Amino acid sequence: MIFTALQAVFFDFDGVLVESVDVKTRAFATLYAEYGEQVVSAVTAHHLAHGGMSRFEKFRHYHTILLGRSPTSAQMDLLAERFSALVEDAVVASPWVPCAQEMLERYAVRLPLFVISGTPDDELTRIIQRRGMTHYFVSTHGS
């Protein structure tokens, strides 16, 4: 079996373990809705094409490229707070990616498993704890 050659496995979170990509896509669309449908379409397309990118990098990109202005630290903090408020409970409630839980159950006792994600570290830790997933992983690492 292929797993015998592995020393560890690293997982992304959204869309790999949990069906939460749509939750985050809707959150970005909500945050940028006030700028019009063209901006929302561009934000959505960019988000889907750059899944592992930190939301902070995305906010900076959207403001600079799409809105033509650099966000202030206060704006970045507000966007991050609003985004977290929109997604955290919904990600906790999202279904597993098919077979992900079964794979974790089977291999967590055989291999060190890790999560690496563009989600901020503290939020990722809370979500994994609230979902009861902590026991599968040696450690988790967010942005």
Side-chain angles (χ1 to χ4, degrees):
M1 168 155 264
I2 192 168
F3 288 106
T4 60
L6 300 177
Q7 295 179 358
V9 179
F10 294 80
F11 296 93
D12 190 6
F13 190 79
D14 299 301
V16 174
L17 297 175
V18 176
E19 298 284 10
S20 50
V21 174
D22 287 346
V23 169
K24 295 189 175 183
T25 303
R26 287 190 304 272
F28 277 113
T30 298
L31 290 178
Y32 287 91
E34 67 184 273
Y35 301 106
E37 188 55 41
Q38 210 170 6
V39 170
V40 169
S41 293
V43 164
T44 299
H46 181 272
H47 165 67
L48 292 172
H50 298 87
M53 179 186 264
S54 159
R55 67 185 66 167
F56 299 98
E57 292 177 50
K58 290 178 182 181
F59 295 148
R60 190 169 285 106
H61 175 82
Y62 302 152
H63 271 67
T64 304
I65 303 301
L66 300 177
L67 304 179
R69 55 184 177 243
S70 295
T72 66
S73 292
Q75 287 172 320
M76 291 288 285
D77 290 344
L78 181 60
L79 285 166
E81 287 174 29
R82 290 179 61 205
F83 192 88
S84 289
L86 289 168
V87 302
E88 190 168 328
D89 289 341
V91 172
V92 170
S94 293
W96 287 92
V97 165
C99 300
Q101 185 175 18
E102 293 82 1
M103 201 275 323
L104 292 176
E105 291 284 345
R106 185 170 184 179
Y107 291 103
V109 296
R110 298 177 185 184
L111 288 167
L113 306 180
F114 300 84
V115 174
I116 52 174
S117 175
T119 300
D121 194 59
D122 58 340
E123 183 178 311
L124 179 65
T125 299
R126 281 193 311 273
I127 289 168
I128 288 172
Q129 287 172 345
R130 290 178 61 196
R131 288 184 63 94
M133 298 171 68
T134 306
H135 66 283
Y136 296 124
F137 306 108
V138 171
S139 63
T140 62
H141 305 274
S143 66

